[in-house]
Amino acid sequence: MKIQKSYQNEQDKGMLYVVPTPIGNLEDITLRALKVLEEADAVLAEDTRNTGKLLHHFELKKKMISYHEHNKMMRQDQIIEMLKEGQMLALVSDAGMPGISDPGYEVINAAISADLTVVVLPGANAALSALVASGLPTDHFYFYGFLPRKKKDRDHAINVLKSIDTTVILYESPHRIKETIEYLAEQLGDRKVSIAREITKRYEEYIRGNLQEIADWLSEHPIKGECCIVVEGKKEENSSQWWTNLTLKEHVEKIMELDRNTSKEAIKQVAKERNLSKREVYSAYHVE
């Protein structure tokens, strides 16, 4: 077991700061984030062009090192070595919290494994903003991110999501949003959904309704901008019809087990609950 303090007095080790950046409105940058970016020896950027614009806006001139999906493993040893040399590094993504559907997890894990200090700053995050604004339950939720592109992988993912009874959060690009909403409507049924797009930007918009309703709307109203989909969790089954997936025979046997009824009494109860004749239930129960 390891216990790590975020603020240490040792001067012989560097620190990796995970710095969230605005997801649209630049005024969402925090004072602490600006201070860390200013003091860092280098900024690890998902896209140096995008981060360069951010730094320029706040009049910060910093050394940048590209760290993205395609070079993250190659860069990792270099970054760990820089931290061991005592450098202070700031990890940023193009927008939002690094490591959440963006590069970051691997180098954070590597730094922790090397007994180096990792400090995560709070800040802008599209998923939480979309969740709170959705009007759906926020006490429990499941964040998935982007659904897989391959059909086999996507079908496997949706089979897992189907059974989750808490609010589900997904990310999606504007080019696939219509296809994804249609797929969710087909697989999840008519659940409530909220689509948040262009969060914190000038054209921020929330589209709320049921999955099929929104799927039909998207057919005539293409949308632009990155999207966050918030979907209602699996609805509770009607407790008065708990027997829906049971055969007649299984239903009779369950009534006998739960209420200690005779088969005759159980058949009568099943017939009443299912609005069937006692003869029909009797025949099904006594089938070999």
Side-chain angles (χ1 to χ4, degrees), residues 200-248:
T200 78
K201 298 178 184 178
R202 181 179 180 182
Y203 296 105
E204 177 176 289
E205 183 177 38
Y206 293 90
I207 305 157
R208 305 180 182 95
N210 294 330
L211 279 167
Q212 189 56 57
E213 180 184 8
I214 300 302
D216 295 339
W217 185 86
L218 287 171
S219 297
E220 299 180 4
H221 302 84
I223 60 177
K224 299 179 180 180
E226 295 299 316
C227 300
C228 191
I229 305 169
V230 185
V231 187
E232 180 182 21
K234 180 183 178 182
K235 298 177 182 178
E236 291 185 12
E237 296 181 1
N238 188 334
S239 59
S240 66
Q241 294 188 349
W242 53 268
W243 39 260
T244 300
N245 295 323
L246 300 181
T247 65
L248 287 174

mmCIF file of all heavy atoms in Angstrom, residues 200-248:
data_model
loop_
_atom_site.group_PDB
_atom_site.id
_atom_site.type_symbol
_atom_site.label_atom_id
_atom_site.label_comp_id
_atom_site.label_asym_id
_atom_site.label_seq_id
_atom_site.Cartn_x
_atom_site.Cartn_y
_atom_site.Cartn_z
ATOM 1 N N THR A 200 -20.941 25.536 -23.243
ATOM 2 C CA THR A 200 -20.272 26.783 -22.840
ATOM 3 C C THR A 200 -19.979 27.723 -24.017
ATOM 4 O O THR A 200 -19.489 28.830 -23.810
ATOM 5 C CB THR A 200 -18.940 26.555 -22.080
ATOM 6 O OG1 THR A 200 -17.893 26.222 -23.005
ATOM 7 C CG2 THR A 200 -19.077 25.491 -21.012
ATOM 8 N N LYS A 201 -20.302 27.305 -25.242
ATOM 9 C CA LYS A 201 -20.032 28.146 -26.402
ATOM 10 C C LYS A 201 -21.256 29.003 -26.759
ATOM 11 O O LYS A 201 -22.329 28.860 -26.166
ATOM 12 C CB LYS A 201 -19.624 27.285 -27.598
ATOM 13 C CG LYS A 201 -18.345 26.484 -27.359
ATOM 14 C CD LYS A 201 -18.004 25.613 -28.557
ATOM 15 C CE LYS A 201 -16.777 24.757 -28.269
ATOM 16 N NZ LYS A 201 -16.439 23.850 -29.387
ATOM 17 N N ARG A 202 -21.106 29.834 -27.738
ATOM 18 C CA ARG A 202 -22.155 30.781 -28.127
ATOM 19 C C ARG A 202 -23.455 30.079 -28.508
ATOM 20 O O ARG A 202 -24.545 30.564 -28.196
ATOM 21 C CB ARG A 202 -21.657 31.642 -29.293
ATOM 22 C CG ARG A 202 -22.672 32.677 -29.760
ATOM 23 C CD ARG A 202 -22.111 33.510 -30.891
ATOM 24 N NE ARG A 202 -23.071 34.509 -31.350
ATOM 25 C CZ ARG A 202 -22.849 35.346 -32.355
ATOM 26 N NH1 ARG A 202 -21.689 35.313 -32.996
ATOM 27 N NH2 ARG A 202 -23.778 36.220 -32.713
ATOM 28 N N TYR A 203 -23.345 28.951 -29.209
ATOM 29 C CA TYR A 203 -24.545 28.259 -29.686
ATOM 30 C C TYR A 203 -24.871 27.023 -28.842
ATOM 31 O O TYR A 203 -25.392 26.034 -29.342
ATOM 32 C CB TYR A 203 -24.378 27.875 -31.161
ATOM 33 C CG TYR A 203 -24.248 29.082 -32.064
ATOM 34 C CD1 TYR A 203 -23.008 29.434 -32.606
ATOM 35 C CD2 TYR A 203 -25.344 29.899 -32.325
ATOM 36 C CE1 TYR A 203 -22.868 30.555 -33.401
ATOM 37 C CE2 TYR A 203 -25.221 31.020 -33.137
ATOM 38 C CZ TYR A 203 -23.981 31.341 -33.669
ATOM 39 O OH TYR A 203 -23.857 32.467 -34.460
ATOM 40 N N GLU A 204 -24.570 27.088 -27.566
ATOM 41 C CA GLU A 204 -24.901 25.988 -26.652
ATOM 42 C C GLU A 204 -26.386 25.654 -26.780
ATOM 43 O O GLU A 204 -27.240 26.534 -26.821
ATOM 44 C CB GLU A 204 -24.577 26.405 -25.222
ATOM 45 C CG GLU A 204 -24.950 25.352 -24.186
ATOM 46 C CD GLU A 204 -24.525 25.774 -22.774
ATOM 47 O OE1 GLU A 204 -23.327 25.777 -22.498
ATOM 48 O OE2 GLU A 204 -25.409 26.118 -21.973
ATOM 49 N N GLU A 205 -26.670 24.337 -26.823
ATOM 50 C CA GLU A 205 -28.051 23.915 -27.032
ATOM 51 C C GLU A 205 -28.301 22.573 -26.354
ATOM 52 O O GLU A 205 -27.425 21.705 -26.321
ATOM 53 C CB GLU A 205 -28.305 23.775 -28.539
ATOM 54 C CG GLU A 205 -29.720 23.403 -28.911
ATOM 55 C CD GLU A 205 -29.914 23.353 -30.417
ATOM 56 O OE1 GLU A 205 -28.986 22.904 -31.134
ATOM 57 O OE2 GLU A 205 -30.988 23.763 -30.888
ATOM 58 N N TYR A 206 -29.513 22.411 -25.819
ATOM 59 C CA TYR A 206 -29.929 21.148 -25.209
ATOM 60 C C TYR A 206 -31.195 20.668 -25.908
ATOM 61 O O TYR A 206 -32.157 21.427 -26.044
ATOM 62 C CB TYR A 206 -30.192 21.321 -23.710
ATOM 63 C CG TYR A 206 -28.927 21.625 -22.937
ATOM 64 C CD1 TYR A 206 -28.511 22.936 -22.747
ATOM 65 C CD2 TYR A 206 -28.141 20.599 -22.418
ATOM 66 C CE1 TYR A 206 -27.345 23.228 -22.063
ATOM 67 C CE2 TYR A 206 -26.973 20.884 -21.733
ATOM 68 C CZ TYR A 206 -26.576 22.188 -21.560
ATOM 69 O OH TYR A 206 -25.409 22.463 -20.893
ATOM 70 N N ILE A 207 -31.174 19.439 -26.360
ATOM 71 C CA ILE A 207 -32.315 18.850 -27.054
ATOM 72 C C ILE A 207 -32.813 17.708 -26.190
ATOM 73 O O ILE A 207 -32.099 16.720 -25.982
ATOM 74 C CB ILE A 207 -31.902 18.329 -28.444
ATOM 75 C CG1 ILE A 207 -31.234 19.452 -29.244
ATOM 76 C CG2 ILE A 207 -33.099 17.770 -29.207
ATOM 77 C CD1 ILE A 207 -30.328 18.976 -30.338
ATOM 78 N N ARG A 208 -34.011 17.838 -25.660
ATOM 79 C CA ARG A 208 -34.519 16.863 -24.705
ATOM 80 C C ARG A 208 -35.802 16.230 -25.213
ATOM 81 O O ARG A 208 -36.624 16.892 -25.842
ATOM 82 C CB ARG A 208 -34.761 17.510 -23.340
ATOM 83 C CG ARG A 208 -33.540 18.226 -22.755
ATOM 84 C CD ARG A 208 -33.862 18.846 -21.398
ATOM 85 N NE ARG A 208 -32.737 19.580 -20.833
ATOM 86 C CZ ARG A 208 -32.567 20.887 -20.974
ATOM 87 N NH1 ARG A 208 -33.438 21.603 -21.650
ATOM 88 N NH2 ARG A 208 -31.516 21.492 -20.413
ATOM 89 N N GLY A 209 -35.977 14.952 -24.903
ATOM 90 C CA GLY A 209 -37.189 14.245 -25.305
ATOM 91 C C GLY A 209 -37.004 12.759 -25.106
ATOM 92 O O GLY A 209 -36.173 12.331 -24.293
ATOM 93 N N ASN A 210 -37.731 11.945 -25.867
ATOM 94 C CA ASN A 210 -37.537 10.501 -25.856
ATOM 95 C C ASN A 210 -36.669 10.107 -27.044
ATOM 96 O O ASN A 210 -36.596 10.834 -28.049
ATOM 97 C CB ASN A 210 -38.878 9.780 -25.913
ATOM 98 C CG ASN A 210 -39.711 10.023 -24.662
ATOM 99 O OD1 ASN A 210 -39.154 10.228 -23.584
ATOM 100 N ND2 ASN A 210 -41.020 10.017 -24.800
ATOM 101 N N LEU A 211 -36.025 8.954 -26.948
ATOM 102 C CA LEU A 211 -35.059 8.557 -27.973
ATOM 103 C C LEU A 211 -35.647 8.562 -29.380
ATOM 104 O O LEU A 211 -35.057 9.121 -30.308
ATOM 105 C CB LEU A 211 -34.486 7.176 -27.650
ATOM 106 C CG LEU A 211 -33.354 7.162 -26.618
ATOM 107 C CD1 LEU A 211 -33.071 5.748 -26.144
ATOM 108 C CD2 LEU A 211 -32.081 7.786 -27.206
ATOM 109 N N GLN A 212 -36.814 7.946 -29.573
ATOM 110 C CA GLN A 212 -37.382 7.881 -30.911
ATOM 111 C C GLN A 212 -37.808 9.258 -31.395
ATOM 112 O O GLN A 212 -37.647 9.609 -32.570
ATOM 113 C CB GLN A 212 -38.590 6.925 -30.933
ATOM 114 C CG GLN A 212 -39.100 6.627 -32.339
ATOM 115 C CD GLN A 212 -37.997 6.067 -33.242
ATOM 116 O OE1 GLN A 212 -37.385 5.050 -32.931
ATOM 117 N NE2 GLN A 212 -37.732 6.746 -34.354
ATOM 118 N N GLU A 213 -38.332 10.056 -30.482
ATOM 119 C CA GLU A 213 -38.733 11.422 -30.816
ATOM 120 C C GLU A 213 -37.532 12.243 -31.298
ATOM 121 O O GLU A 213 -37.604 12.950 -32.310
ATOM 122 C CB GLU A 213 -39.351 12.060 -29.570
ATOM 123 C CG GLU A 213 -39.818 13.486 -29.740
ATOM 124 C CD GLU A 213 -40.315 14.076 -28.439
ATOM 125 O OE1 GLU A 213 -40.158 13.434 -27.375
ATOM 126 O OE2 GLU A 213 -40.870 15.187 -28.490
ATOM 127 N N ILE A 214 -36.410 12.112 -30.586
ATOM 128 C CA ILE A 214 -35.201 12.848 -30.967
ATOM 129 C C ILE A 214 -34.614 12.293 -32.257
ATOM 130 O O ILE A 214 -34.113 13.048 -33.103
ATOM 131 C CB ILE A 214 -34.159 12.801 -29.840
ATOM 132 C CG1 ILE A 214 -34.712 13.428 -28.561
ATOM 133 C CG2 ILE A 214 -32.876 13.520 -30.262
ATOM 134 C CD1 ILE A 214 -35.158 14.863 -28.704
ATOM 135 N N ALA A 215 -34.695 10.975 -32.457
ATOM 136 C CA ALA A 215 -34.195 10.355 -33.693
ATOM 137 C C ALA A 215 -34.955 10.918 -34.893
ATOM 138 O O ALA A 215 -34.357 11.247 -35.933
ATOM 139 C CB ALA A 215 -34.342 8.835 -33.622
ATOM 140 N N ASP A 216 -36.272 11.042 -34.764
ATOM 141 C CA ASP A 216 -37.096 11.600 -35.854
ATOM 142 C C ASP A 216 -36.744 13.069 -36.096
ATOM 143 O O ASP A 216 -36.657 13.519 -37.242
ATOM 144 C CB ASP A 216 -38.586 11.479 -35.512
ATOM 145 C CG ASP A 216 -39.043 10.024 -35.434
ATOM 146 O OD1 ASP A 216 -38.352 9.162 -36.008
ATOM 147 O OD2 ASP A 216 -40.082 9.758 -34.805
ATOM 148 N N TRP A 217 -36.519 13.809 -35.021
ATOM 149 C CA TRP A 217 -36.186 15.224 -35.140
ATOM 150 C C TRP A 217 -34.853 15.424 -35.852
ATOM 151 O O TRP A 217 -34.702 16.319 -36.694
ATOM 152 C CB TRP A 217 -36.148 15.848 -33.746
ATOM 153 C CG TRP A 217 -35.941 17.336 -33.740
ATOM 154 C CD1 TRP A 217 -36.890 18.296 -33.857
ATOM 155 C CD2 TRP A 217 -34.686 18.015 -33.614
ATOM 156 N NE1 TRP A 217 -36.320 19.546 -33.803
ATOM 157 C CE2 TRP A 217 -34.969 19.406 -33.657
ATOM 158 C CE3 TRP A 217 -33.368 17.594 -33.469
ATOM 159 C CZ2 TRP A 217 -33.966 20.365 -33.562
ATOM 160 C CZ3 TRP A 217 -32.361 18.557 -33.373
ATOM 161 C CH2 TRP A 217 -32.663 19.916 -33.415
ATOM 162 N N LEU A 218 -33.877 14.574 -35.533
ATOM 163 C CA LEU A 218 -32.551 14.692 -36.141
ATOM 164 C C LEU A 218 -32.573 14.403 -37.636
ATOM 165 O O LEU A 218 -31.686 14.851 -38.375
ATOM 166 C CB LEU A 218 -31.566 13.746 -35.443
ATOM 167 C CG LEU A 218 -31.120 14.158 -34.035
ATOM 168 C CD1 LEU A 218 -30.320 13.030 -33.382
ATOM 169 C CD2 LEU A 218 -30.298 15.437 -34.069
ATOM 170 N N SER A 219 -33.566 13.652 -38.095
ATOM 171 C CA SER A 219 -33.675 13.349 -39.524
ATOM 172 C C SER A 219 -33.892 14.613 -40.342
ATOM 173 O O SER A 219 -33.521 14.686 -41.516
ATOM 174 C CB SER A 219 -34.835 12.378 -39.777
ATOM 175 O OG SER A 219 -34.591 11.143 -39.141
ATOM 176 N N GLU A 220 -34.478 15.621 -39.716
ATOM 177 C CA GLU A 220 -34.779 16.865 -40.424
ATOM 178 C C GLU A 220 -33.951 18.054 -39.924
ATOM 179 O O GLU A 220 -33.998 19.136 -40.510
ATOM 180 C CB GLU A 220 -36.268 17.195 -40.279
ATOM 181 C CG GLU A 220 -37.183 16.126 -40.862
ATOM 182 C CD GLU A 220 -38.654 16.493 -40.697
ATOM 183 O OE1 GLU A 220 -38.930 17.614 -40.203
ATOM 184 O OE2 GLU A 220 -39.506 15.662 -41.052
ATOM 185 N N HIS A 221 -33.207 17.834 -38.839
ATOM 186 C CA HIS A 221 -32.437 18.938 -38.262
ATOM 187 C C HIS A 221 -31.001 18.494 -37.958
ATOM 188 O O HIS A 221 -30.677 18.137 -36.820
ATOM 189 C CB HIS A 221 -33.092 19.448 -36.966
ATOM 190 C CG HIS A 221 -34.499 19.913 -37.152
ATOM 191 N ND1 HIS A 221 -35.576 19.047 -37.144
ATOM 192 C CD2 HIS A 221 -35.010 21.158 -37.340
ATOM 193 C CE1 HIS A 221 -36.691 19.742 -37.314
ATOM 194 N NE2 HIS A 221 -36.374 21.013 -37.442
ATOM 195 N N PRO A 222 -30.114 18.484 -38.956
ATOM 196 C CA PRO A 222 -28.702 18.135 -38.701
ATOM 197 C C PRO A 222 -28.101 19.119 -37.703
ATOM 198 O O PRO A 222 -28.430 20.309 -37.721
ATOM 199 C CB PRO A 222 -28.052 18.287 -40.086
ATOM 200 C CG PRO A 222 -29.189 18.224 -41.061
ATOM 201 C CD PRO A 222 -30.372 18.831 -40.355
ATOM 202 N N ILE A 223 -27.248 18.623 -36.836
ATOM 203 C CA ILE A 223 -26.636 19.514 -35.853
ATOM 204 C C ILE A 223 -25.119 19.485 -35.971
ATOM 205 O O ILE A 223 -24.532 18.524 -36.475
ATOM 206 C CB ILE A 223 -27.067 19.158 -34.413
ATOM 207 C CG1 ILE A 223 -26.658 17.723 -34.055
ATOM 208 C CG2 ILE A 223 -28.561 19.344 -34.236
ATOM 209 C CD1 ILE A 223 -27.007 17.354 -32.623
ATOM 210 N N LYS A 224 -24.497 20.544 -35.505
ATOM 211 C CA LYS A 224 -23.049 20.671 -35.547
ATOM 212 C C LYS A 224 -22.489 20.713 -34.135
ATOM 213 O O LYS A 224 -23.204 20.979 -33.179
ATOM 214 C CB LYS A 224 -22.654 21.946 -36.302
ATOM 215 C CG LYS A 224 -23.108 21.985 -37.751
ATOM 216 C CD LYS A 224 -22.695 23.290 -38.409
ATOM 217 C CE LYS A 224 -23.150 23.346 -39.863
ATOM 218 N NZ LYS A 224 -22.753 24.624 -40.523
ATOM 219 N N GLY A 225 -21.208 20.451 -34.024
ATOM 220 C CA GLY A 225 -20.544 20.549 -32.726
ATOM 221 C C GLY A 225 -20.495 19.224 -31.986
ATOM 222 O O GLY A 225 -21.313 18.333 -32.213
ATOM 223 N N GLU A 226 -19.500 19.093 -31.112
ATOM 224 C CA GLU A 226 -19.376 17.880 -30.306
ATOM 225 C C GLU A 226 -20.593 17.728 -29.393
ATOM 226 O O GLU A 226 -21.090 18.712 -28.848
ATOM 227 C CB GLU A 226 -18.093 17.932 -29.473
ATOM 228 C CG GLU A 226 -16.819 17.923 -30.297
ATOM 229 C CD GLU A 226 -16.676 16.667 -31.147
ATOM 230 O OE1 GLU A 226 -16.938 15.566 -30.616
ATOM 231 O OE2 GLU A 226 -16.318 16.778 -32.325
ATOM 232 N N CYS A 227 -21.035 16.483 -29.231
ATOM 233 C CA CYS A 227 -22.265 16.237 -28.478
ATOM 234 C C CYS A 227 -22.025 15.351 -27.262
ATOM 235 O O CYS A 227 -21.143 14.488 -27.262
ATOM 236 C CB CYS A 227 -23.301 15.550 -29.367
ATOM 237 S SG CYS A 227 -23.772 16.513 -30.820
ATOM 238 N N CYS A 228 -22.826 15.569 -26.254
ATOM 239 C CA CYS A 228 -22.840 14.716 -25.074
ATOM 240 C C CYS A 228 -24.266 14.200 -24.922
ATOM 241 O O CYS A 228 -25.213 14.986 -24.855
ATOM 242 C CB CYS A 228 -22.408 15.501 -23.843
ATOM 243 S SG CYS A 228 -22.098 14.461 -22.410
ATOM 244 N N ILE A 229 -24.419 12.884 -24.898
ATOM 245 C CA ILE A 229 -25.732 12.248 -24.816
ATOM 246 C C ILE A 229 -25.947 11.741 -23.396
ATOM 247 O O ILE A 229 -25.110 11.009 -22.863
ATOM 248 C CB ILE A 229 -25.832 11.056 -25.795
ATOM 249 C CG1 ILE A 229 -25.502 11.506 -27.217
ATOM 250 C CG2 ILE A 229 -27.212 10.416 -25.733
ATOM 251 C CD1 ILE A 229 -25.328 10.341 -28.186
ATOM 252 N N VAL A 230 -27.050 12.131 -22.793
ATOM 253 C CA VAL A 230 -27.382 11.666 -21.445
ATOM 254 C C VAL A 230 -28.693 10.891 -21.547
ATOM 255 O O VAL A 230 -29.718 11.442 -21.946
ATOM 256 C CB VAL A 230 -27.536 12.843 -20.464
ATOM 257 C CG1 VAL A 230 -27.761 12.325 -19.045
ATOM 258 C CG2 VAL A 230 -26.298 13.740 -20.516
ATOM 259 N N VAL A 231 -28.636 9.588 -21.207
ATOM 260 C CA VAL A 231 -29.781 8.698 -21.408
ATOM 261 C C VAL A 231 -30.304 8.174 -20.076
ATOM 262 O O VAL A 231 -29.533 7.827 -19.177
ATOM 263 C CB VAL A 231 -29.399 7.492 -22.302
ATOM 264 C CG1 VAL A 231 -30.636 6.668 -22.654
ATOM 265 C CG2 VAL A 231 -28.710 7.949 -23.570
ATOM 266 N N GLU A 232 -31.609 8.109 -19.984
ATOM 267 C CA GLU A 232 -32.265 7.551 -18.800
ATOM 268 C C GLU A 232 -31.837 6.101 -18.596
ATOM 269 O O GLU A 232 -31.683 5.349 -19.557
ATOM 270 C CB GLU A 232 -33.775 7.622 -19.009
ATOM 271 C CG GLU A 232 -34.617 7.074 -17.881
ATOM 272 C CD GLU A 232 -36.106 7.134 -18.203
ATOM 273 O OE1 GLU A 232 -36.471 7.220 -19.396
ATOM 274 O OE2 GLU A 232 -36.901 7.098 -17.249
ATOM 275 N N GLY A 233 -31.642 5.691 -17.360
ATOM 276 C CA GLY A 233 -31.267 4.316 -17.057
ATOM 277 C C GLY A 233 -32.422 3.356 -17.268
ATOM 278 O O GLY A 233 -33.562 3.765 -17.548
ATOM 279 N N LYS A 234 -32.146 2.078 -17.114
ATOM 280 C CA LYS A 234 -33.162 1.045 -17.279
ATOM 281 C C LYS A 234 -34.311 1.286 -16.304
ATOM 282 O O LYS A 234 -34.108 1.481 -15.113
ATOM 283 C CB LYS A 234 -32.544 -0.338 -17.016
ATOM 284 C CG LYS A 234 -33.522 -1.499 -17.152
ATOM 285 C CD LYS A 234 -32.837 -2.808 -16.805
ATOM 286 C CE LYS A 234 -33.815 -3.964 -16.891
ATOM 287 N NZ LYS A 234 -33.185 -5.254 -16.503
ATOM 288 N N LYS A 235 -35.507 1.274 -16.838
ATOM 289 C CA LYS A 235 -36.674 1.505 -15.995
ATOM 290 C C LYS A 235 -36.996 0.268 -15.177
ATOM 291 O O LYS A 235 -36.804 -0.866 -15.630
ATOM 292 C CB LYS A 235 -37.883 1.870 -16.867
ATOM 293 C CG LYS A 235 -37.696 3.153 -17.660
ATOM 294 C CD LYS A 235 -38.894 3.414 -18.546
ATOM 295 C CE LYS A 235 -38.689 4.667 -19.386
ATOM 296 N NZ LYS A 235 -39.836 4.924 -20.294
ATOM 297 N N GLU A 236 -37.491 0.500 -13.973
ATOM 298 C CA GLU A 236 -37.883 -0.621 -13.125
ATOM 299 C C GLU A 236 -39.090 -1.325 -13.728
ATOM 300 O O GLU A 236 -39.997 -0.687 -14.243
ATOM 301 C CB GLU A 236 -38.254 -0.127 -11.717
ATOM 302 C CG GLU A 236 -37.076 0.379 -10.918
ATOM 303 C CD GLU A 236 -37.466 0.752 -9.505
ATOM 304 O OE1 GLU A 236 -38.600 0.404 -9.102
ATOM 305 O OE2 GLU A 236 -36.658 1.378 -8.817
ATOM 306 N N GLU A 237 -39.056 -2.643 -13.684
ATOM 307 C CA GLU A 237 -40.193 -3.397 -14.186
ATOM 308 C C GLU A 237 -41.366 -3.239 -13.236
ATOM 309 O O GLU A 237 -41.197 -3.072 -12.031
ATOM 310 C CB GLU A 237 -39.833 -4.885 -14.331
ATOM 311 C CG GLU A 237 -38.751 -5.127 -15.368
ATOM 312 C CD GLU A 237 -38.432 -6.601 -15.509
ATOM 313 O OE1 GLU A 237 -39.081 -7.407 -14.805
ATOM 314 O OE2 GLU A 237 -37.559 -6.945 -16.304
ATOM 315 N N ASN A 238 -42.543 -3.299 -13.787
ATOM 316 C CA ASN A 238 -43.759 -3.186 -12.981
ATOM 317 C C ASN A 238 -43.785 -4.320 -11.970
ATOM 318 O O ASN A 238 -43.862 -5.489 -12.321
ATOM 319 C CB ASN A 238 -44.991 -3.266 -13.896
ATOM 320 C CG ASN A 238 -46.266 -2.953 -13.147
ATOM 321 O OD1 ASN A 238 -46.347 -3.130 -11.937
ATOM 322 N ND2 ASN A 238 -47.267 -2.485 -13.889
ATOM 323 N N SER A 239 -43.667 -3.972 -10.691
ATOM 324 C CA SER A 239 -43.581 -4.994 -9.655
ATOM 325 C C SER A 239 -44.831 -5.859 -9.588
ATOM 326 O O SER A 239 -44.786 -6.978 -9.096
ATOM 327 C CB SER A 239 -43.338 -4.330 -8.293
ATOM 328 O OG SER A 239 -44.395 -3.428 -7.994
ATOM 329 N N SER A 240 -45.959 -5.330 -10.098
ATOM 330 C CA SER A 240 -47.194 -6.115 -10.059
ATOM 331 C C SER A 240 -47.208 -7.184 -11.152
ATOM 332 O O SER A 240 -48.070 -8.042 -11.163
ATOM 333 C CB SER A 240 -48.412 -5.197 -10.211
ATOM 334 O OG SER A 240 -48.423 -4.601 -11.499
ATOM 335 N N GLN A 241 -46.236 -7.104 -12.070
ATOM 336 C CA GLN A 241 -46.142 -8.102 -13.139
ATOM 337 C C GLN A 241 -44.736 -8.704 -13.153
ATOM 338 O O GLN A 241 -44.108 -8.830 -14.198
ATOM 339 C CB GLN A 241 -46.474 -7.467 -14.487
ATOM 340 C CG GLN A 241 -47.920 -7.008 -14.588
ATOM 341 C CD GLN A 241 -48.286 -6.554 -15.992
ATOM 342 O OE1 GLN A 241 -47.432 -6.397 -16.849
ATOM 343 N NE2 GLN A 241 -49.565 -6.354 -16.229
ATOM 344 N N TRP A 242 -44.269 -9.072 -11.987
ATOM 345 C CA TRP A 242 -42.934 -9.649 -11.843
ATOM 346 C C TRP A 242 -42.796 -10.965 -12.590
ATOM 347 O O TRP A 242 -41.702 -11.450 -12.861
ATOM 348 C CB TRP A 242 -42.636 -9.897 -10.363
ATOM 349 C CG TRP A 242 -43.700 -10.715 -9.661
ATOM 350 C CD1 TRP A 242 -44.780 -10.234 -8.993
ATOM 351 C CD2 TRP A 242 -43.797 -12.142 -9.603
ATOM 352 N NE1 TRP A 242 -45.546 -11.260 -8.502
ATOM 353 C CE2 TRP A 242 -44.966 -12.453 -8.860
ATOM 354 C CE3 TRP A 242 -43.017 -13.190 -10.093
ATOM 355 C CZ2 TRP A 242 -45.370 -13.757 -8.612
ATOM 356 C CZ3 TRP A 242 -43.408 -14.498 -9.841
ATOM 357 C CH2 TRP A 242 -44.579 -14.777 -9.109
ATOM 358 N N TRP A 243 -43.942 -11.565 -12.935
ATOM 359 C CA TRP A 243 -43.971 -12.887 -13.554
ATOM 360 C C TRP A 243 -43.882 -12.842 -15.081
ATOM 361 O O TRP A 243 -43.969 -13.875 -15.743
ATOM 362 C CB TRP A 243 -45.283 -13.587 -13.180
ATOM 363 C CG TRP A 243 -46.487 -12.673 -13.162
ATOM 364 C CD1 TRP A 243 -47.067 -12.112 -12.070
ATOM 365 C CD2 TRP A 243 -47.211 -12.186 -14.299
ATOM 366 N NE1 TRP A 243 -48.127 -11.319 -12.439
ATOM 367 C CE2 TRP A 243 -48.243 -11.337 -13.805
ATOM 368 C CE3 TRP A 243 -47.114 -12.384 -15.673
ATOM 369 C CZ2 TRP A 243 -49.152 -10.690 -14.639
ATOM 370 C CZ3 TRP A 243 -48.015 -11.730 -16.506
ATOM 371 C CH2 TRP A 243 -49.017 -10.895 -15.993
ATOM 372 N N THR A 244 -43.695 -11.655 -15.660
ATOM 373 C CA THR A 244 -43.763 -11.484 -17.121
ATOM 374 C C THR A 244 -42.900 -12.486 -17.889
ATOM 375 O O THR A 244 -43.320 -13.028 -18.912
ATOM 376 C CB THR A 244 -43.334 -10.050 -17.506
ATOM 377 O OG1 THR A 244 -44.212 -9.120 -16.873
ATOM 378 C CG2 THR A 244 -43.397 -9.846 -19.015
ATOM 379 N N ASN A 245 -41.697 -12.765 -17.413
ATOM 380 C CA ASN A 245 -40.779 -13.651 -18.150
ATOM 381 C C ASN A 245 -40.889 -15.121 -17.740
ATOM 382 O O ASN A 245 -40.084 -15.951 -18.181
ATOM 383 C CB ASN A 245 -39.337 -13.171 -17.956
ATOM 384 C CG ASN A 245 -39.098 -11.799 -18.574
ATOM 385 O OD1 ASN A 245 -39.637 -11.492 -19.636
ATOM 386 N ND2 ASN A 245 -38.295 -10.980 -17.922
ATOM 387 N N LEU A 246 -41.877 -15.446 -16.904
ATOM 388 C CA LEU A 246 -42.079 -16.833 -16.483
ATOM 389 C C LEU A 246 -43.108 -17.528 -17.363
ATOM 390 O O LEU A 246 -44.056 -16.904 -17.852
ATOM 391 C CB LEU A 246 -42.558 -16.876 -15.018
ATOM 392 C CG LEU A 246 -41.649 -16.283 -13.948
ATOM 393 C CD1 LEU A 246 -42.289 -16.461 -12.577
ATOM 394 C CD2 LEU A 246 -40.267 -16.930 -13.981
ATOM 395 N N THR A 247 -42.942 -18.834 -17.556
ATOM 396 C CA THR A 247 -43.982 -19.613 -18.223
ATOM 397 C C THR A 247 -45.139 -19.784 -17.238
ATOM 398 O O THR A 247 -44.990 -19.515 -16.037
ATOM 399 C CB THR A 247 -43.456 -20.998 -18.636
ATOM 400 O OG1 THR A 247 -43.134 -21.737 -17.442
ATOM 401 C CG2 THR A 247 -42.218 -20.871 -19.524
ATOM 402 N N LEU A 248 -46.276 -20.257 -17.738
ATOM 403 C CA LEU A 248 -47.423 -20.480 -16.849
ATOM 404 C C LEU A 248 -47.071 -21.482 -15.752
ATOM 405 O O LEU A 248 -47.410 -21.296 -14.576
ATOM 406 C CB LEU A 248 -48.627 -20.975 -17.657
ATOM 407 C CG LEU A 248 -49.313 -19.932 -18.542
ATOM 408 C CD1 LEU A 248 -50.388 -20.594 -19.406
ATOM 409 C CD2 LEU A 248 -49.914 -18.834 -17.701
#
